[in-house]
Amino acid sequence: MSTNAAVVNDPGTQANAPFDAETRRRLSELRSQLGDDLLILGHHYMSSEAIRWADLTGDSLALSRLAAQSTAENIVFLGVHFMAETADILTTEDRKVLSPDIGAGCLMAEMASIGQVLQCWNHLVKNNGKQTIPITYVNSSAKLKAFCGEHGGAVCTSSNAEKVLAWALEQGGRALFFPDMHLGRNAAAALGVTGDEVARWVRAENRLRGDMNKARVIVWDGFCPVHVGFTVMDAERVRVSNPGIKVVVHPECPREVVEAADDSGSTEKIIKLVEQSPSGSAWAIGTEINLVKRLAGNHPDKVIISLNSNVPQCPDMAKINERGLLTALQGIAEGQPKGVVKVDQQTAQWAQKALERMFAVT
């Protein structure tokens, strides 16, 4: 798992974002006023408008771990709800984690509720005695992380899913992987687990599709609406129009798209591939458009395009903006913080157990 993060330049040097002089004046003023008591974290998928205010940028778990190492009393997470939950789980009780928009969820995470997972779990336990290890992608609620902690499972990220899944298969005869079926399938394939050894739990039907006796990995049927927008045809088209271009996609993309790409990996891996490539290289990237645009702006000596520019940005990430951040900072300054994300103690303890198992494996 990568824990890389970067310090973002001063907001005054950033360009190409909507201009609201008064909002930015107040943001600068409040950030200076709050000083070391404030830490602003920005996920890679944030818009340029929002991420310009981040003290650190990175993927969600790396940022949460950095938050745990900081001394800031107030942590504002420019990201979606599950990210703020993870930061709260990993930080001490005396810290506050806030979201500029408490309604910024995650469509994928919302495709698996604790009630649905319990129904699936009870079905597996009742109908087959084979030990099952639950694995939840970090893009999930704190309750699902806690479920894994309580039932001998672990959390995984897009960069360590293969390692965690391999660990799970060593612990028991089968793994239940949720909520993203595509990351689950891609991780399983990397381990040589394919065909009848992968079954799918269909939440709408509350049943398993596949042979339970043969299945080593059961994937939940959730997905990221952004990443399923990229197709094999996109890869073929972009190679015709840009000879020599390299295609890299996020492992939340469908299996056939990953197979058609030159490489796949987490946001951190994609960033490193681009950064370490020679001047003049060309990349078509299948992930959230804000990251692609930022990479293109940071590397003008390279050709960097979206694998499909018609795939829309994440609607929940788009909810985080400067005005929401201003409201959050004003609340902190006035002693009435708004958008506080708090995970109850029991849930946090079990969720931390699942995270600790992941850290031990990776």
Side-chain angles (χ1 to χ4, degrees), residues 37-109:
D37 287 337
L38 172 68
L39 177 66
I40 302 176
L41 307 175
H43 189 268
H44 287 309
Y45 291 166
M46 284 289 98
S47 67
S48 295
E49 172 195 348
I51 206 168
R52 67 179 62 219
W53 298 99
D55 298 304
L56 298 170
T57 66
D59 64 28
S60 63
L61 187 59
L63 289 172
S64 294
R65 298 185 78 177
L66 290 169
Q69 297 169 15
S70 78
T71 59
E73 180 181 344
N74 300 288
I75 300 160
V76 179
F77 211 127
L78 305 179
V80 295
H81 193 266
F82 77 79
M83 299 177 183
E85 280 189 330
T86 304
D88 182 63
I89 290 165
L90 292 178
T91 53
T92 54
E93 282 289 316
D94 57 330
R95 322 277 289 288
K96 292 185 184 69
V97 178
L98 304 93
S99 171
D101 189 325
I102 205 72
C106 169
L107 293 172
M108 178 206 295

Side-chain angles (χ1 to χ4, degrees), residues 192-205:
V193 181
T194 58
D196 290 344
E197 291 186 315
V198 181
R200 178 165 60 99
W201 182 263
V202 183
R203 55 201 156 90
E205 301 172 4

Side-chain angles (χ1 to χ4, degrees), residues 241-354:
S241 57
N242 299 272
I245 198 167
K246 296 291 186 180
V247 175
V248 59
V249 300
H250 195 280
E252 290 176 19
C253 291
R255 179 68 196 152
E256 62 270 18
V257 178
V258 171
E259 290 178 323
D262 295 291
D263 208 339
S264 66
S266 66
T267 55
E268 294 288 358
K269 179 177 178 179
I270 291 171
I271 291 168
K272 285 184 178 178
L273 282 172
V274 172
E275 288 179 342
Q276 296 172 3
S277 64
S279 179
S281 58
W283 296 91
I285 302 176
T287 194
E288 220 280 343
I289 190 65
N290 282 310
L291 176 60
V292 179
K293 288 181 177 179
R294 191 166 301 115
L295 286 171
N298 291 341
H299 301 278
D301 61 322
K302 302 168 187 179
V303 176
I304 300 170
I305 61 173
S306 172
L307 183 57
N308 182 344
S309 60
N310 291 320
V311 173
Q313 66 178 321
C314 172
D316 283 295
M317 291 285 188
K319 293 177 182 178
I320 306 298
N321 55 42
E322 289 178 313
R323 292 188 183 277
L325 177 58
L326 177 58
T327 299
L329 298 196
Q330 285 175 330
I332 295 170
E334 294 166 2
Q336 297 180 323
K338 299 176 177 66
V340 176
V341 176
K342 191 66 184 173
V343 179
D344 69 87
Q345 187 174 10
Q346 183 176 11
T347 300
Q349 287 176 344
W350 281 118
Q352 182 145 9
K353 185 68 175 176

